[in-house]
Amino acid sequence: MNGIHNKIGAADLFVVFLRALLMQASWSFERMQSLGFAFAIAPALKKLYPNGAEYESRLRLHMDYFNTQPYLASFILGAVVRMEEERATGLSASDDVVGLKAALMAPLGALGDSFFWGALKPLAAVLAVALLMTGYWWAPFLFLVFYNVWHLGLRAAMLFWGYTSGGNAVALIARFSFMKMAKRFKVITLSVLGGIIGMAPDWRPEFQPIAPLPFLPMALSWLVVALAFVAILRRGGSPIKLMLGLAALCLALAYAGVLA
Amino acid sequence: MPMFDTHMILTIVGIAFVGGIIGLDRTAVGQCMISQPIVVGPLTGWILGDPTAGIVIGAVLELIWVLDMPVGTFVPADATISAVSATAIAALGNTGGAPLPLIGFSILLTVAMVPVTMKADGIIRHWNSRLADAVMTGPGTDSGRALVRAHLSGLLVFFLKSFVLYLVFLPAGVVAVSVFRQLPENVHLAMSLFVKLLPLLGMALVARKLSMKTIDLFLLSGFMIAATAGQLFHAPALLIILLAVVGGWLGAGYRERHS
C-alpha cells in the first residue's frame, strides 16, 4: 500500500472485506464475534505467516472475545492486518493486537450503533415507508440502494482506513463525523415523519380513514392521533403491548358502535 | 385438514425455505437489510400473488420494529419472520387478495410470534458458543480448517431456526385465519381500524426514540411543509418528501449553528 508494507495488497484486503460480511455467522452470547473476526482475518494471516505453527498460534490469538458494531469491525480488521504485517515483516516489535482490539471495539461499537442502527437505518426506512404509503412500489429498492451505498461504501472504506491509519480512531472520526451525520439524519427522519402525516390524504386507500374527510382536517386529526401515541409512549410500554392495546381499543370502538 | 392440500404444503415449505435464506441477512450474512419488513413484506406478497398485503404489512412492521436495535447482548424481535409470516398467512388465507380485516388479523398474530422468535434466537446464540469452544479446545493443528467449519455451520443453525419457526407459524396462522372468518362483523371492523391506525403507532414509536420531546419541532415543520404543499399546491408525494428532506437538512444545519 505505501511501499513499505508490501506483503498485503488491495486484493488481500478485499478478501478480508468479503469474509467480514460473514462476521456474525456464528454469533454467540459468550464469545460474540470472536470466530467471525478470526474467520475474516485468516487469509491475511496465512499470507503473512507461511510457517504453519506460527499461523496457528496467531489465528488462535484472534479467536479471543470480540464484539463491536459489525460494519465498523472492518476498521479494526484493517488496523490488525497492518499490525500483523508489521510484526511479520519485522518493521515493528509491538504486537499487542489484543490490546488494540480491546481499545477500539467498545468506542467503535457505540459509534456504529448510533450511526447505522440509530440514524441511517430509520432514515432509509422512513423514506421508503413514505414512498410506499403514497403509492411508489419501487420504494423497497430505493431503501436497499440508499442504505447500502452508505453501508457497503463505508464498510469497505473503513477496512482501508484502518489499514492505512494503523487503527487511529481519532483520524477516522476527523475524516467522517459519525455523530454529526447521525444527528442530521435523525432530524431529517423526524421531518419526513411529519411529512408522511401531512400527506395522510394521499396515503394508499388501505390507510384512509373509514369516513372521508377534507384534506386539512384529516391531516390534522392524524397528527393529533400520532402525537397522542407519542405522549402515551412516553409513559413506557413495548411495541407488543402497544399493538395489543391498540387492537383492544379498536375492538372496544367496534363494539361501542362507533365504526358502524 | 382439507385446507392443507399438497399445493398449500409445498407453498409453506417454499416460503419457509426462502424466508430462512433471507433471514440470514439479519445477523449472519452481510446485514444489507434485505431482511427488513419493507423489503420482505412486498417480496413475499409478490411471490404469493398478493402484493397489497405485502406492502401494507411491510410498511407497518418496518415502522414498528425499525428502532429495535441489536445492541450488545440484546436480541431484537425477528421482524423478518413477522413480516414474512403475516404476509404469507394473509395471502394463503384468502386467494385473490386478502381483505383489510384479514391483513390486520395477520399483523396481530405476529404479536404472539415475537416472544417465540426472541426465545429461539436466544437458544441458538447460546448453542453457537459450542462452536467456538470446539475450535478453542480442539487440537492445536489445523485450526484454520476447524474454524471455517465451525463458523460456517453457524449459518445452518441460523437458517434452521427460521425455517422451523416458519413451518410452525404458517400452518398455525392459516388455521387461525379460518377461525377468524367465523368471528362477528365487529371484530372484522376492529381489524380494519387496527390497520389504519398502526402506521401512526409506528411513526410515534420512531418519533419517541429520535426526539426527547412529545411535540418535536422538526416533526411539526415536516408536517407543515407537507400539508401546505399538498393542500395549496397539490404537489406530488415525491416532491413533498423531497421538501421534507431538504427542510430537515436545513433545520439540522440551523440547530448546529445556534447550539
Side-chain angles (χ1 to χ4, degrees), chain A residues 21-190:
Chain A
L21 295 174
L22 294 167
M23 179 145 228
Q24 301 201 122
S26 60
W27 197 98
S28 68
F29 285 126
E30 284 77 8
R31 294 183 185 273
M32 302 216 168
Q33 302 160 333
S34 61
L35 286 192
F37 191 94
F39 174 79
I41 206 169
L45 292 179
K46 190 102 182 164
K47 187 163 186 182
L48 290 170
Y49 301 106
N51 176 319
E54 199 171 12
Y55 165 70
E56 293 280 343
S57 112
R58 297 309 289 180
L59 190 63
R60 280 184 170 264
L61 188 71
H62 289 294
M63 290 182 204
D64 225 18
Y65 173 86
F66 182 78
N67 189 44
T68 191
Q69 204 277 343
Y71 303 169
L72 290 194
S74 290
F75 183 81
I76 304 175
L77 275 166
V80 170
V81 168
R82 168 76 171 263
M83 194 176 246
E84 289 286 3
E85 185 180 37
E86 288 181 347
R87 180 185 180 277
T89 52
L91 278 169
S92 169
S94 165
D95 69 342
D96 188 17
V97 286
V98 176
L100 179 74
K101 285 161 71 177
L104 289 177
M105 65 185 181
L108 288 187
L111 212 58
D113 288 341
S114 172
F115 178 74
F116 289 105
W117 301 156
L120 177 63
K121 189 178 154 196
L123 174 61
V126 164
L127 281 172
V129 168
L131 291 166
L132 205 57
M133 286 183 69
T134 48
Y136 296 94
W137 62 268
W138 42 264
F141 294 100
L142 180 87
F143 168 78
L144 288 175
V145 171
F146 178 79
Y147 186 85
N148 285 305
V149 164
W150 286 91
H151 157 221
L152 294 173
L154 279 173
R155 205 167 178 169
M158 289 297 151
L159 186 71
F160 285 86
W161 290 348
Y163 178 81
T164 51
S165 74
N168 186 346
V170 177
L172 167 70
I173 292 161
R175 203 166 194 168
F176 189 86
S177 180
F178 284 97
M179 296 315 286
K180 189 178 167 184
M181 287 301 287
K183 278 182 187 168
R184 286 210 167 195
F185 281 4
K186 285 176 183 177
V187 167
I188 296 170
T189 304
L190 284 164

Side-chain angles (χ1 to χ4, degrees), chain A residues 21-22 30 56 71 191 208, chain B residues 30-31 129 142-143 151 196 244:
Chain A
L21 295 174
L22 294 167
E30 284 77 8
E56 293 280 343
Y71 303 169
S191 180
Q208 293 293 330
Chain B
Q31 294 183 300
S129 302
D142 210 5
S143 300
H151 186 60
K196 291 174 189 297

Side-chain angles (χ1 to χ4, degrees), chain B residues 91-105:
Chain B
L92 294 173
N94 197 87
T95 47
L100 204 54
L102 180 53
I103 293 174
F105 179 69

